[in-house]
Amino acid sequence: MSPALSPEELSDPSVRAVVIAVRDGDRDAFYGAFADHAELTDDGALQDLRAWAEREVFGAHGRIEVEEERQHGRYVLGRFRSDQWDFPKTFWHFQISEGRITRLDVGQG
C-alpha cells in the first residue's frame, strides 16, 4: 500500500469527519457523523455501533491510517491499529445519505 493520506485530504466530508474523530479520540464528532439507527458490520457480522466504537476505537485507542480511497472517498483502505490490534490491510466502506453515515462496513482486506 501507499503512504498514509492525511485525514484532511479525504474526499468525502462525512468520511473525513469520522477519520479525524478517530484520530483525535472525539466521541461527539464520531457519533455526530452517523444517522440515527446507523448500522455497522465488522467482518460481516452486524454490531451495535456504540458498543463496537467504544471497544475497538475509543477504549483501545484505535486509529486508521488511510492509504487509499475509492468510490468517491466512501471506501477507504488502510492500516488499523489499536492497543489490541494491528491490521495492516483493512477497509472501511461508508454508505451515506443526506450527509450522514447510514452504514459502515469494516473488515480485513
Side-chain angles (χ1 to χ4, degrees), residues 47-58:
Q47 303 281 321
D48 177 83
L49 173 67
R50 285 188 180 267
W52 179 89
E54 291 301 321
R55 181 181 65 248
E56 302 291 339
V57 176
F58 300 112

Side-chain angles (χ1 to χ4, degrees), residues 1-99:
M1 289 205 174
S2 316
L5 298 170
S6 163
E8 289 79 11
E9 294 178 85
L10 299 176
S11 301
D12 187 278
S14 298
V15 173
R16 185 170 53 243
V18 166
V19 174
I20 290 171
V22 168
R23 178 194 68 193
D24 295 347
D26 186 340
R27 285 175 170 87
D28 290 338
F30 181 88
Y31 294 123
F34 287 86
D36 293 339
H37 310 294
E39 295 183 333
L40 175 126
T41 66
D42 187 345
D43 286 328
L46 191 60
Q47 303 281 321
D48 177 83
L49 173 67
R50 285 188 180 267
W52 179 89
E54 291 301 321
R55 181 181 65 248
E56 302 291 339
V57 176
F58 300 112
H61 306 104
R63 56 210 175 276
I64 183 168
E65 299 165 6
V66 176
E67 296 171 347
E68 183 180 347
E69 59 178 355
R70 299 178 185 166
Q71 299 177 8
H72 307 286
R74 294 184 176 189
Y75 186 93
V76 297
L77 299 163
R79 177 179 216 133
F80 180 78
R81 297 180 190 195
S82 72
D83 293 344
Q84 292 178 268
W85 310 108
D86 185 0
F87 296 122
K89 294 182 181 179
T90 63
F91 68 85
W92 291 44
H93 182 203
F94 297 83
Q95 294 179 32
I96 299 168
S97 178
E98 299 178 6

